[in-house]
Amino acid sequence: MQPLIECIPNISEGRRQALVAHLASTAARAGAALLDRSSDADHHRTVLTLAAPVKVMVGAVEALAEAVFTNVDLRRHRGVHPRLGALDVVAFAPLAGAEMSDAVEAARLTAERLGERFELPVCLYGAALERPELAALRRGGPKAFAERLKTRELVPDAGPPRWDPRRGTTAVGARFYLVAFNVVLKSKNLDVARDIARAIRASAEDGLPAVRALGLPLNSRRCVQVSMNILDYRQTSLHAAFRRVRDEAAKLGVEVEGSEIVGLAPRAALTGGPLAELSLLHQAAPRVLESRLSALGLPAELVT
């Protein structure tokens, strides 16, 4: 079998479930194995997890991009999650038999294809290019990004150096296995969630290594959450992140409702304590990357 890579497209659509199903099936029909599909209406975002060899994956992402750009208009998008594009992020990671260089190859090929075919600015990040992290690209939102293109402060790695109001931009990267992990608070106070996020993120004086965090409102659920990207679970496990949020919340007199894993998590990311401690909401069991691969008859070895 050819080396496999994982692809995690982040799409700025999380409410029209028929459309989300169509987008996921489009990638699957193009040859990628669909491992997971996670949507959130408040975030107005869908995260897909795909697996395929490099060349098959690049074609599947191109097919997915066509379907996204046909159906998602960034100008009409309203959601709490930061975003810069309709197809906001396309991240690659190596799976069985692959190395990071394979994920980098997929990222660069994908950037070239998307920029040329759809005529939108595409920016590489992570191991695909020595560029500041994804958060640096997002800083200030679409308006700031468009201005940086206009002044040539930012030059895209593929596609034209002009803002596309409907499609926005797509950030394409290669990286280690990121885990998207949210902790929901028993509170409607957004300032509390933001204070906790500031205290725990890696940039804080006593922050958690490899953790990016935001405080976000969940209007449909009448509460707030601390939304985290754990960039490297070898440095901070999900249990360590959960405990820290719980402790910071307790200092502010707020209790934790529970947690959510968005997409899939490597099994090793869940070994920091008993699963019950995470108080997973709406999930009988965590979504484990290796289990989904095995269920589809695919090799389940991960790069460590």
Side-chain angles (χ1 to χ4, degrees):
M1 179 178 287
Q2 298 180 58
L4 290 176
I5 58 169
E6 179 189 28
C7 180
I8 309 93
N10 288 221
I11 303 162
S12 295
E13 173 58 62
R15 297 171 185 166
R16 294 177 288 173
Q17 289 305 305
L19 173 57
V20 170
H22 168 67
L23 297 176
S25 64
T26 297
R29 285 195 304 270
L34 178 64
L35 304 180
D36 187 71
R37 183 182 106 196
S38 298
S39 298
D40 186 279
D42 289 303
H43 286 221
H44 203 357
R45 192 173 186 84
T46 291
V47 177
L48 302 180
T49 307
L50 311 170
V54 170
K55 291 184 178 179
V56 174
M57 186 67 83
V58 171
V61 173
E62 186 176 1
L64 172 64
E66 181 177 18
V68 170
F69 295 146
T70 298
N71 292 283
V72 178
D73 188 338
L74 192 65
R75 295 170 297 185
R76 299 188 177 123
H77 187 278
R78 300 292 182 274
V80 300
H81 197 287
R83 73 278 177 191
L84 287 174
L87 179 58
D88 191 48
V89 176
V90 178
F92 295 96
L95 291 174
E99 298 179 355
M100 185 59 73
S101 59
D102 296 299
V104 169
E105 179 188 4
R108 291 178 176 170
L109 288 172
T110 296
E112 291 172 7
R113 292 266 192 98
L114 297 185
E116 180 178 350
R117 178 174 175 186
F118 301 107
E119 297 186 335
L120 79 159
V122 180
C123 291
L124 293 168
Y125 75 96
L129 189 73
E130 292 183 6
R131 180 192 293 282
E133 296 178 7
L134 182 57
L137 288 173
R138 282 211 185 108
R139 192 164 294 121
K143 185 176 180 179
F145 189 91
E147 182 62 24
R148 279 184 282 168
L149 286 177
K150 184 178 179 181
T151 62
R152 299 297 189 266
E153 176 188 340
L154 177 65
V155 177
D157 299 294
R162 64 174 181 270
W163 180 249
D164 183 328
R166 178 185 173 88
R167 297 168 174 170
T169 186
T170 299
V172 181
R175 56 163 174 73
F176 189 64
Y177 309 110
L178 178 151
V179 183
F181 184 56
N182 303 328
V183 177
V184 179
L185 306 179
K186 292 182 178 180
S187 174
K188 300 177 184 178
N189 190 335
L190 184 56
D191 288 337
V192 167
R194 287 175 171 168
D195 286 346
I196 295 170
R198 276 193 291 268
I200 69 168
R201 62 175 64 124
S203 58
E205 182 177 352
D206 188 30
L208 295 170
V211 170
R212 306 293 177 264
L214 293 170
L216 298 175
L218 300 178
N219 294 328
S220 69
R221 294 155 69 174
R222 298 183 180 180
C223 62
V224 295
Q225 72 177 188
V226 179
S227 177
M228 290 172 280
N229 280 344
I230 299 178
L231 307 182
D232 190 340
Y233 63 79
R234 298 169 299 186
Q235 298 184 53
T236 298
S237 70
L238 271 64
H239 287 80
F242 181 85
R243 291 167 189 151
R244 181 64 185 278
V245 172
R246 181 192 61 199
D247 293 347
E248 294 292 335
K251 293 177 186 177
L252 299 172
V254 172
E255 294 182 6
V256 163
E257 177 73 25
S259 69
E260 303 166 331
I261 298 171
V262 181
L264 302 179
R267 185 171 287 112
L270 299 161
T271 58
L275 286 177
E277 183 183 359
L278 296 178
S279 300
L280 290 170
L281 300 170
H282 320 299
Q283 294 174 317
R287 297 182 172 100
V288 177
L289 176 55
E290 293 96 325
S291 297
R292 293 296 174 92
L293 288 165
S294 295
L296 293 177
L298 297 172
E301 296 85 5
L302 303 187
V303 174
T304 57

